[in-house]
Every structure is written in C-alpha cells, then in structure tokens.
Amino acid sequence: MGGATLSTEWTIREVLNWTRGYFEEAGIVQPRLEAEILLAHALDVERLNLYISPDQPLTPDERSRYRTIVKSRREGTPLQHLIGEVQFFGLRFHVNREALIPRPETEELLDHILRLVPRDRDISCLDLGTGTGVIAVCLARYFPRAAVTAVDVSEPALELAARNADRNGVGDRITFIHGDWFEHVPGTFDLVASNPPYITEEQLGELSTEVKDHEPRVALDGGARGLEKLAALIDALPNHMNPQALVFLEIGHEQDVEVTRMVQAVGFSEVRT
C-alpha cells in the first residue's frame, strides 16, 4: 500500500506497487495504469520496458523526478498534462493547459463522421473550437482529399493545434483561423464538426479538481443552461453550409431535445442524436 517503506534502491516493481496504493488512497480510478504511464515517462522508456526489467533500481535523479510528478498527480494535475501528450484515434497529440484534454466522447463523434461520410471525394471541412486540434487533424488524416479549416477563440490553443497538425503530418492541409465561431471564416462547407462548451453553470461547480483547476473555463462554460455557445453556433450555420452539408456536434447529456429543436429551427431536416 502507499506509504509503506521502500527498499533503499527502489526497484521498478517496488515503485509501481507503492504508487498503486498511494493512488488508490487518493481515489484515482486506474492507479496501476497511471503509475506505469508516469514511471515510463519519468524514465523516458516505453511501458513494456517496465515489465522487461522489473528489478532495475532507479537512480537518485529518476527517483526525484518520479516523486515530483506522482505528488502532482495526487494533488489533481491531470495525467495528460504531466506527460504532455494524449493518444487519440490512433494518433498522438501534445496537450497543455491552453486547451481541453481530448476525451473518448469526441472519439465517438469522429467515429460517426468516418462511418457516415465518404472518404474518396473532395470535401471542405470546418472544425469550430478546435482546441488541441484533434478533430481537424483526424479529418485531414483520414479524409485524404479534405480541405480543413480549424477555428478557435484562443490564440494559444490555435498554436497548440498547429503543432499537432505538424506532428501528424497534415500541417499543410489545415488552415487555422483565430476568431469566435464563424467570425472570420469565409466560404461554405460540406462538413462542420464541433465540440463546443456545453457545461451548465451548476455543473461547472461540480466538476472534479483536475478539470476545474487545470482546463480552460472557456472550453467548458456553456452559460446558465449550457446552451449559450451552442445557440450562437447553430444560428450562424445556414450561412456557411453547402447543399446537403452535414453537421456533427458533441452536446451534453439531456440536451438532445433542445438542440434538436434549435437545428430544426434553422432549417436542418434530418437530425439524429
């Protein structure tokens, strides 16, 4: 368990066992997995190496580096911020405090896009509120003939998204625009995708420390009912859509009825949630 006395040398096995208990006491959901990820990061090795050499002792520098990040994790710093990256839809992305950490729900959104949109034709795509750039980058990677535009109100987030586009080999196929939704976006599109802020004021106060204190409020705060940003986005959609265009939005639980009403009100005839 966490807090037990370790041997003088601190082998990989002992460190992992100790950290698992330490994280369990803190209520971390996947304590062993997170311990492995953080130790591999501290040692600058792949996780597989931890299993290959479980009796390898840590050097004093490695112990110090690992102790620091484990303490930060227990205090609420997100795992992804500590290691500086996240795996998403088969790709790797840099992450920091300037943009929302990508989550499995957004992977589900992309899965719907890939199943419903043909990949073998020219297509103009728009990612509104790009954040880390995961939607824009995945559209460019998995739609080889796509022209992608990515928009964000945060310049630091756009810089992060551009780094991620370069990291994944699609920097030359994405146009990055600084602005609030369609504010500086020219033209019309065949596909619009967005993970907009949709958390209500009440829900903001109930978020975990690692979300509330470490992720940008602008990427979360959807106003009193969670629909303020969505409403502004949806109202402007018709002026930026080609005929037969598709829109994919990630929304909050229990917002389906209201959002369906909003998109139908601006002229969309087929709506699925």
Side-chain angles (χ1 to χ4, degrees):
M1 292 295 291
T5 302
L6 288 165
S7 70
T8 305
E9 286 200 314
W10 283 49
T11 66
I12 285 174
R13 179 187 287 110
E14 288 173 321
V15 166
L16 289 175
N17 288 338
W18 185 89
T19 309
R20 180 185 60 196
Y22 186 64
F23 281 172
E24 282 176 349
E25 291 168 0
I28 291 173
V29 176
Q30 296 179 299
R32 174 72 185 198
L33 175 61
E34 292 208 14
E36 291 179 2
I37 292 171
L38 290 175
L39 183 55
H41 175 71
L43 301 182
D44 195 23
V45 299
E46 297 294 327
R47 279 175 59 206
L48 177 62
N49 290 69
L50 306 181
Y51 292 95
I52 294 173
S53 307
D55 297 316
Q56 175 184 319
L58 276 66
T59 68
D61 284 348
E62 290 169 342
R63 288 167 55 179
S64 176
R65 187 161 60 248
Y66 183 65
R67 187 185 296 115
T68 298
I69 61 176
V70 164
K71 184 174 183 290
S72 294
R73 180 66 188 106
R74 175 150 172 158
E75 291 173 350
T77 303
L79 171 76
Q80 295 88 342
H81 286 175
L82 290 169
I83 64 175
E85 69 172 23
V86 65
Q87 292 197 38
F88 182 92
F89 225 79
L91 305 175
R92 288 193 172 193
F93 293 84
H94 299 294
V95 292
N96 59 31
R97 296 177 66 114
E98 302 297 341
L100 201 65
I101 296 169
R103 288 171 167 80
E105 291 82 0
T106 307
E107 288 187 299
E108 184 178 347
L109 179 77
L110 277 160
D111 184 60
H112 282 292
I113 295 173
L114 291 173
R115 286 191 289 108
L116 293 171
V117 180
R119 302 193 207 182
D120 60 349
R121 63 184 177 92
D122 296 334
I123 184 171
S124 55
C125 303
L126 176 64
D127 173 18
L128 290 170
T130 193
T132 56
V134 291
I135 293 177
V137 170
C138 287
L139 290 174
R141 276 293 296 266
Y142 297 118
F143 289 88
R145 295 170 62 181
V148 182
T149 301
V151 179
D152 206 285
V153 73
S154 164
E155 287 190 283
L158 276 179
E159 292 171 5
L160 176 63
R163 284 178 61 207
N164 281 323
D166 289 338
R167 181 178 189 177
N168 287 285
V170 292
D172 60 339
R173 296 186 40 231
I174 302 176
T175 301
F176 294 94
I177 296 178
H178 177 236
D180 188 5
W181 290 155
F182 294 99
E183 182 182 13
H184 300 301
V185 177
T188 54
F189 298 87
D190 302 308
L191 187 156
V192 173
S194 181
N195 176 18
Y198 56 75
I199 304 298
T200 67
E201 282 183 359
E202 181 181 355
Q203 290 169 335
L204 280 172
E206 299 169 352
L207 293 173
S208 67
T209 299
E210 64 182 84
V211 175
K212 198 164 41 178
D213 295 347
H214 296 274
E215 301 205 59
R217 185 183 178 98
V218 68
L220 298 164
D221 188 354
R225 296 172 53 234
L227 298 170
E228 182 180 305
K229 302 298 184 181
L230 273 161
L233 186 163
I234 290 168
D235 284 347
L237 276 173
N239 296 326
H240 298 273
M241 307 301 295
N242 292 329
Q244 308 302 314
L246 296 174
V247 179
F248 296 84
L249 302 174
E250 181 176 330
I251 64 174
H253 183 62
E254 299 183 343
Q255 291 179 341
D256 55 330
V257 173
E258 186 67 14
V259 173
T260 296
R261 185 196 64 76
M262 289 193 292
V263 294
Q264 288 175 333
V266 298
F268 285 87
S269 57
E270 184 179 347
V271 183
R272 305 179 193 174
T273 59

